[in-house]
């Protein structure tokens, strides 16, 4: 991961094992919600060209589709040994460009709304609670599937009012 240049095919094959390895490491952990599908499948692509299983479209678990967008955004906006971090606008444009091929377009739309709302609230000097509330409110729509609406609601309640360690937020949200 710290290599300054491109990975060889052999090195990339090893990197591609990390979703399965991560899921195996986390398997014995008793999470309050299903974490493993997000970890295992976050490198699947909407068009089926991802890994490790070559899943496509709705075959990819929702939490993995959400995590995929967040993971790429984080990767693009973070300094790496082989390149500097991209500006947020460039990263958002790249994610938008990949909607419908690499990513679920619905998740990209929601993510971009959240990022825009979050950055706008941060520029206004709002509190964390205000930022999270504005971001989640910006993407919650009456047409949301019950599963996606549940994820957004869980994010709002868990993020704005973190539960005590013994409590469980349900339904789950992976970010």
């Amino acid at each position: 991961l710290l290599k300054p240049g491109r990975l060889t095919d052999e090195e990339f094959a090893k990197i591609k094992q990390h979703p399965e390895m991560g899921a195996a490491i986390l398997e014995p952990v008793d999470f309050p919600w299903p974490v493993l599908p997000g970890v295992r499948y976050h490198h699947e692509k909407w068009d089926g060209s991802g890994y490790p299983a070559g899943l496509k479209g709705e075959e990819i678990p929702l939490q993995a589709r959400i995590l995929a967008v967040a993971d790429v955004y984080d990767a693009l906006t973070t300094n790496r040994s082989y390149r500097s971090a991209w500006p947020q606008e460039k990263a958002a444009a790249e994610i938008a460009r990949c909607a419908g091929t690499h990513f679920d377009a619905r998740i990209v739309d929601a993510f971009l709304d959240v990022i825009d709302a979050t950055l706008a609230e941060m520029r206004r000097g709002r509190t964390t609670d205000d930022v999270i509330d504005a971001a989640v409110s910006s993407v919650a729509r009456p047409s949301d599937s019950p599963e996606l609406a549940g994820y957004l609601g869980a994010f709002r309640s868990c993020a704005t009012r973190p539960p005590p360690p013994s409590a469980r937020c349900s339904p789950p949200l992976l970010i």
Side-chain angles (χ1 to χ4, degrees):
L1 292 178
L2 300 177
K3 184 177 178 180
R6 285 186 76 76
L7 299 176
T8 65
D9 289 344
E10 183 179 306
E11 291 167 334
F12 187 60
K14 286 181 182 179
I15 292 292
K16 287 172 61 173
Q17 295 174 4
H18 86 269
E20 290 288 353
M21 292 171 70
I25 290 167
L26 295 174
E27 194 162 9
V29 178
D30 183 26
F31 288 100
W33 50 74
V35 169
L36 297 182
V39 173
R40 182 171 283 125
Y41 300 118
H42 74 279
H43 281 285
E44 299 292 350
K45 294 183 182 176
W46 191 250
D47 65 6
S49 66
Y51 62 89
L55 302 178
K56 70 179 191 175
E58 298 286 334
E59 296 171 351
I60 305 166
L62 178 62
Q63 64 266 49
R65 288 182 268 150
I66 294 168
L67 186 57
V69 174
D71 183 49
V72 169
Y73 182 81
D74 177 67
L76 293 175
T77 59
T78 304
N79 285 325
R80 299 297 169 120
S81 60
Y82 52 89
R83 63 149 177 81
S84 296
W86 289 14
Q88 294 178 7
E89 296 78 12
K90 182 178 179 183
E94 178 63 12
I95 289 171
R97 185 185 71 77
C98 295
T101 55
H102 189 125
F103 306 116
D104 177 341
R106 174 71 175 104
I107 302 302
V108 168
D109 288 345
F111 178 80
L112 294 175
D113 286 348
V114 167
I115 287 298
D116 290 344
T118 300
L119 294 175
E121 292 299 310
M122 290 170 67
R123 283 190 292 272
R124 291 185 185 108
R126 301 291 176 111
T127 66
T128 301
D129 287 353
D130 289 341
V131 169
I132 291 167
D133 193 52
V136 173
S137 295
S138 74
V139 297
R141 297 178 180 92
S143 62
D144 285 341
S145 71
E147 186 179 19
L148 183 55
Y151 277 86
L152 292 171
F155 176 65
R156 175 183 278 148
S157 72
C158 291
T160 59
R161 291 171 293 285
S166 62
R168 294 179 178 222
C169 289
S170 181
L173 177 68
L174 296 175
I175 294 188

